[in-house]
Amino acid sequence: ESKLAREEQQQLRAHSLSDGMDPLPLRHLLVPVDESKASKEAFKWTLDNLYRQGDSIHLFHVISPGQRVIINTDLGIDEVIPDDGENARKVEAHAKEYLTSTYVPVLDEKQIPYQVEIVSFSTDNDSIGSIICKRAEQVNASAVIMAKHTKGMIKEFIVGSATNYCTRNCRSPVLVMHCD
């Protein structure tokens, strides 16, 4: 179905060019991703339903430097340990490997223009949301497509949500995929 829609869009674009009509505007679609199944589903949905030929996909991944979560207890409390420079490089290398092996082959196969960005930024969920909104402004994103992660009510209240922050503060339209 989405392939058919994409073909119809291509025919419309070709038809509008041959008739002297203005072509459909090109768009920048910002897709914040992590290693979750929900992020993969939001990415796939973007390509299948929102992407049209000529658009550019911006994959955006935020790494929090300085501390790493190591244990999630039954009470929902995360234990963190300080990070050193070597571990930070390993985390960054892992993120790059993950993004380039998971998302890039799909984009290359479909010949979709893309940009992959990994940002190391001292974060909490609101500041992750803030940097996503800032990047959306910088690339003039037509839309930000995000996955909603189910954390549970208590953890959501205490920790917050980058997705919630973006829906309240982003100047670009935010599409939230409820995948969990």
Side-chain angles (χ1 to χ4, degrees), residues 14-109:
H15 181 68
S16 67
L17 289 174
S18 66
D19 286 350
M21 295 172 52
D22 290 333
L24 296 172
L26 305 181
R27 304 170 304 171
H28 296 277
L29 305 174
L30 181 65
V31 185
V33 294
D34 56 22
E35 294 187 30
S36 69
K37 180 181 175 190
S39 282
K40 289 179 196 173
E41 289 179 27
F43 170 75
K44 182 181 181 325
W45 188 93
T46 300
L47 297 185
D48 290 346
N49 297 285
L50 196 57
Y51 172 80
R52 63 181 182 222
Q53 186 175 7
D55 288 349
S56 181
I57 301 290
H58 297 263
L59 296 176
F60 194 70
H61 181 72
V62 180
I63 298 172
S64 176
Q67 294 184 337
R68 298 289 170 247
V69 175
I70 58 167
I71 297 175
N72 187 328
T73 67
D74 290 337
L75 299 174
I77 300 169
D78 295 331
E79 183 179 333
V80 295
I81 56 170
D83 200 0
D84 60 20
E86 180 61 29
N87 284 336
R89 283 187 289 282
K90 286 179 184 177
V91 168
E92 228 171 285
H94 171 77
K96 183 177 181 181
E97 165 61 28
Y98 177 79
L99 295 175
T100 57
S101 66
T102 303
Y103 297 103
V104 169
V106 176
L107 295 166
D108 283 340
E109 179 184 325

Side-chain angles (χ1 to χ4, degrees), residues 60 62 119 121 126-136 165:
F60 194 70
V62 180
V119 177
F121 190 76
D126 279 353
S127 61
I128 291 172
S130 174
I131 197 161
I132 291 169
C133 292
K134 184 178 197 84
R135 189 62 187 145
Y165 182 93

